[in-house]
Amino acid sequence: MKGRGFQILLVCSLVLNVFVVGGLIGAGVMWKQAEVQRPVAGLGRGGRLRAAAQDLPQPYRRELRQTVVETMRELRPRIREARAARQEAARLLAEPTLDRASLDAALTRARSADMAVRTGLESSVVHFAGKLPQAERVRLVEALTRQQPRTAVKDTQQ
């Protein structure tokens, strides 16, 4: 290949390589940021339990995560039950005529399943905390009772 064709191929290759290298660098930066902000895996969305786990030393943090993951695995049927009941309630609420008794029954089933999940999770965390040394239990209590910053709710009626 000679002359102009070779130059065009070289420029196209150079442009493609710049995009590939830029993409890799961008992906690396995003990976690092995600690594810095990575929550404790297995502890669900942000909340007091996750914040409390962050304050524990690594071996206890790992054990708490395993406890929560195992508990949530055991509670999956109740979680599904609560979700199904909420979906049923939403479906009943969207019906042309409101069947109040059926809606109340679905909401009661959802609430009951949600409370069973919460009770099971709290029980497993209490059992875990009972195995901690006293200093670590105090640390866990402080983290669990620490005031969480609230996000501002915007007024949508302006």
Side-chain angles (χ1 to χ4, degrees):
M1 200 178 265
K2 295 184 180 179
R4 186 153 176 82
F6 183 70
Q7 288 175 343
I8 291 173
L9 184 62
L10 185 64
V11 168
C12 288
S13 175
L14 181 64
V15 169
L16 181 65
N17 285 330
V18 166
F19 279 113
V20 169
V21 169
L24 290 173
I25 290 172
V29 168
M30 295 301 288
W31 181 273
K32 276 299 202 188
Q33 286 180 346
E35 206 171 87
V36 169
Q37 299 170 355
R38 183 170 290 143
V40 177
L43 292 182
R45 294 185 299 265
R48 292 183 192 272
L49 187 55
R50 176 179 288 160
Q54 296 288 11
D55 285 359
L56 290 174
Q58 183 59 36
Y60 296 126
R61 190 180 316 163
R62 187 177 305 118
E63 187 178 343
L64 176 58
R65 178 176 44 84
Q66 288 172 337
T67 299
V68 170
V69 167
E70 289 170 8
T71 301
M72 294 309 282
R73 188 175 299 127
E74 293 169 7
L75 292 171
R76 258 189 215 142
R78 295 307 301 249
I79 293 169
R80 284 191 202 108
E81 182 182 327
R83 184 177 300 130
R86 283 191 297 274
Q87 288 171 345
E88 163 115 13
R91 185 188 62 73
L92 289 168
L93 195 56
E95 291 287 320
T97 56
L98 183 64
D99 181 357
R100 180 68 190 250
S102 296
L103 180 60
D104 285 342
L107 290 173
T108 299
R109 284 193 314 275
R111 195 170 26 257
S112 173
D114 284 339
M115 286 306 296
V117 169
R118 180 175 178 159
T119 301
L121 182 60
E122 288 173 349
S123 176
S124 68
V125 170
V126 167
H127 180 73
F128 163 79
K131 297 187 290 184
L132 289 175
Q134 201 265 338
E136 297 306 327
R137 280 197 317 269
V138 169
R139 204 168 170 182
L140 183 65
V141 168
E142 288 172 354
L144 285 171
T145 57
R146 187 178 308 133
Q147 184 67 31
Q148 298 282 319
R150 292 184 176 228
T151 56
V153 177
K154 294 182 181 180
D155 186 12
T156 58
Q157 298 176 352
Q158 292 180 352

